[in-house]
């Protein structure tokens, strides 16, 4: 097949470009293909892990619903086993932190305070769980308050996130009142009121605490 001069020049230019960049172009195509395949594989693996974590979380929830029933002791054992697996093997998933809160609540209802504390302390130590970590700190402070471990409870309430400032101040007031530090408790509750929206339902409860404190 004959080519005219212009076509021959194009072919020669293409041949020269391929001789110079062909290996690099092939390598780029291969790298891109491997990256796409790797990303797809990673997403599939993450999806598999998420499904596995969800299974343990659902098992934990199921056990928690039966913790106060006739098989409460067995339910508590299953709760701890499921939570241990979530914390050790799926710590980076949302199911682990959510599972800890469910487990802690169930164990506290079972009066297994040491078990509940262990669950909450794990979540408190997880700096990567910024959404649920403050919830764990509040819950842990309340658990320690119930056990009259006042100093340890107050330590959980230092440097509250802005979104939790009012709730932390309210819990601080509870602890200080339990210690008999009425003036400090009043200041904490007043701080909580000031930090809350005007229509917050909790404001009425805090006001009742202040009224009871003034009448004591």
């Amino acid at each position: 097949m004959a080519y005219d001069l212009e076509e021959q020049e194009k072919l020669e230019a293409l041949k020269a470009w391929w001789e110079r960049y062909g290996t690099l172009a092939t390598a780029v195509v291969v790298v891109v293909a491997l990256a796409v395949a790797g990303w797809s594989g990673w997403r599939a693996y993450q999806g598999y892990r998420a499904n596995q974590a969800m299974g343990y979380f659902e098992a934990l929830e199921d056990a928690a619903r039966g913790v106060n029933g006739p098989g409460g002791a067995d339910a508590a054992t299953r709760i701890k086993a499921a939570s241990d697996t979530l914390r050790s093997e799926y710590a980076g998933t949302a199911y682990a932190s959510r599972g800890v809160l469910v487990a802690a609540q169930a164990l506290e209802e079972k009066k297994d305070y040491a078990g509940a504390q262990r669950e909450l302390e794990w979540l408190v130590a997880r700096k990567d769980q910024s959404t649920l970590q403050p919830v764990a700190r509040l819950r842990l402070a309340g658990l320690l308050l119930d056990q009259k471990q006042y100093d340890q409870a107050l330590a959980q309430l230092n440097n509250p996130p802005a979104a939790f400032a009012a709730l932390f101040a309210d819990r601080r007031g509870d602890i200080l009142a339990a210690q008999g530090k009425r003036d400090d408790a009043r200041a904490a509750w007043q701080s909580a009121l000031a930090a809350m929206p005007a229509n917050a339902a909790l404001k009425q409860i805090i006001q009742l605490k202040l009224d009871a404190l003034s009448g004591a």
Side-chain angles (χ1 to χ4, degrees):
M1 180 177 180
Y3 297 96
D4 59 28
L5 182 60
E6 183 179 355
E7 291 175 331
Q8 289 180 2
E9 289 176 348
K10 290 180 180 179
L11 288 172
E12 290 297 325
L14 179 59
K15 181 179 179 181
W17 182 91
W18 183 256
E19 289 177 351
R20 185 173 182 180
Y21 299 109
T23 301
L24 176 61
T26 301
V28 169
V29 170
V30 171
V31 168
V32 170
L34 289 174
V36 171
W39 174 246
S40 298
W42 174 251
R43 290 185 61 184
Y45 174 69
Q46 290 296 93
Y48 169 77
R49 283 183 57 79
N51 286 334
Q52 291 289 99
M54 181 175 66
Y56 284 106
F57 177 76
E58 290 175 345
L60 194 158
E61 279 192 313
D62 182 64
R65 284 190 286 268
V67 76
N68 292 317
D74 177 65
T77 299
R78 288 188 287 120
I79 287 169
K80 291 180 180 180
S83 182
D84 286 347
T85 300
L86 285 170
R87 286 187 282 108
S88 62
E89 298 183 23
Y90 305 95
T93 69
Y95 291 110
S97 52
R98 288 166 55 195
V100 159
L101 294 177
V102 173
Q105 180 65 38
L107 293 173
E108 186 175 354
E109 292 176 7
K110 193 65 179 171
K111 301 190 185 313
D112 183 353
Y113 301 121
Q117 183 172 336
R118 183 174 59 252
E119 298 286 340
L120 293 172
E121 286 176 343
W122 178 87
L123 184 49
V124 166
R126 297 285 300 191
K127 304 303 182 185
D128 59 333
Q129 298 291 338
S130 58
T131 301
L132 293 181
Q133 188 205 47
V135 177
R137 290 171 62 187
L138 272 172
R139 293 267 301 273
L140 182 55
L143 183 65
L144 293 168
L145 166 61
D146 291 342
Q147 298 176 77
K148 299 183 176 6
Q149 299 180 34
Y150 302 126
D151 291 339
Q152 296 93 320
L154 287 171
Q156 297 300 323
L157 303 175
N158 293 328
N159 303 314
F164 286 82
L167 294 175
F168 274 52
D170 175 43
R171 184 57 50 84
R172 183 181 295 276
D174 295 340
I175 298 167
L176 293 168
Q179 289 181 295
K181 299 178 180 180
R182 295 173 56 191
D183 292 340
D184 292 337
R186 181 180 293 107
W189 282 331
Q190 289 173 340
S191 175
L193 285 177
M196 286 184 177
N199 60 347
L202 188 57
K203 293 191 78 166
Q204 296 181 4
I205 297 175
I206 297 175
Q207 188 61 57
L208 288 174
K209 295 177 184 179
L210 284 168
D211 294 343
L213 192 65
S214 298

